[in-house]
Amino acid sequence: MNARSLLADAEARLAEAGVASPRVDAELLLSHVTGVPRSLLLVAARPNDLQHRSYTEMVEARARRVPLQHLTGSAAFRFVDLEVGPGVFVPRPETEVLAGWAIDQAQGFVAQSFNRQWEPRVVDLCTGSGAIALAIVHEVPGARVHAVELDEPAYGWAQRNLSGTGVDLRLGDAADAFADLDGHVDVVVSNPPYIPLDAWESVAPEVRDHDPELALWSGEDGLDAMRMIEATAWRLVKPGGVVGVEHADVQGESAPEVFGRRWADVRDHADLADRPRFVTARKAH
Ligand SMILES: C[S@@+](CC[C@H](N)C(=O)[O-])C[C@H]1O[C@@H](n2cnc3c(N)ncnc32)[C@H](O)[C@@H]1O
């Protein structure tokens, strides 16, 4: 069977299973199996029998709503690729905007410093696969990046992704992490768990059945972790430092309220789909 027919069958199977982007997923899986870039599949992919069988198995797994990234083993995030699989949250495109904000802030501290020699200190709380921390070391040369993760399996993935990067990765609870850095951090960034416990029904099967529970749920209103991050950031950030935290699209008012009591410049930001997505604030001098 040629690539065109294989893709057409796979697209139909994935659409029938309710996969949100059946054509894209069919192409990415075929590209993964054959090693042919996605844009060249129709002209260059000639799957042999083994590749054909392996592709059929992967399409069936995707139709059972196994996340695409668990099948390919990697997730793209800004300019880096993360190894992912069972036991770790798959980084999402919306978090790339938050990471971009943290990168801009860190670069801003460098630009404002004497001789532009400042090595900004950045902390990624709830790092999961290490996505935000890895993007920051990649895009901000000289940044001193620290990251913490509570869940041991996720921490194992972060170790793999951050090995050799110089990121100070620790296993532990963000609530009491990095006491040694209190008052010395320029930027705190976090994509914590934030789904309200009663939102179970509305969550896609890929997320509900494959992302770790500790990565998803966060108390009745989904803001338990947000309140914990606010307290940790207040302890870590130096006067003039900043914090940015991702939240659910329904928390565009309730998340900024968590920061309203003692932070300056509290602002909410939209993601690429223009939905409320993360809150930022500054600790006044
Ligand atoms: C939504 S996932 C985000 C992971 C990563 N930051 C990303 O954007 O892909 C949240 C992560 O926070 C971790 N986590 C939850 N509670 C934590 C805590 N108290 N301290 C540290 N990590 C925690 C979870 O295990 C999970 O890996």
Side-chain angles (χ1 to χ4, degrees), residues 13 26 47 65 72 78 82 111 132 134 146 156 184 224 227 235 245 269 276 278:
R13 176 75 186 100
R65 308 299 289 272
T72 61
R78 293 184 65 88
L82 283 304
I132 299 176
L134 186 60
H146 308 260
H184 293 288
D224 281 3
R227 288 183 276 267
R235 170 169 66 73
V245 193
H269 305 250
F278 67 97

Side-chain angles (χ1 to χ4, degrees), residues 77 88-92 95 124-132 148-151 154 172-175 190-193 214-216 228:
F77 188 81
V88 73
F89 181 87
V90 174
R92 306 293 205 271
T95 308
D124 174 16
L125 300 171
C126 304
T127 196
S129 63
I132 299 176
V148 65
E149 170 57 47
L150 179 61
D151 188 39
D173 191 338
S190 181
N191 174 21
L214 194 59
L216 303 179
M228 176 272 285

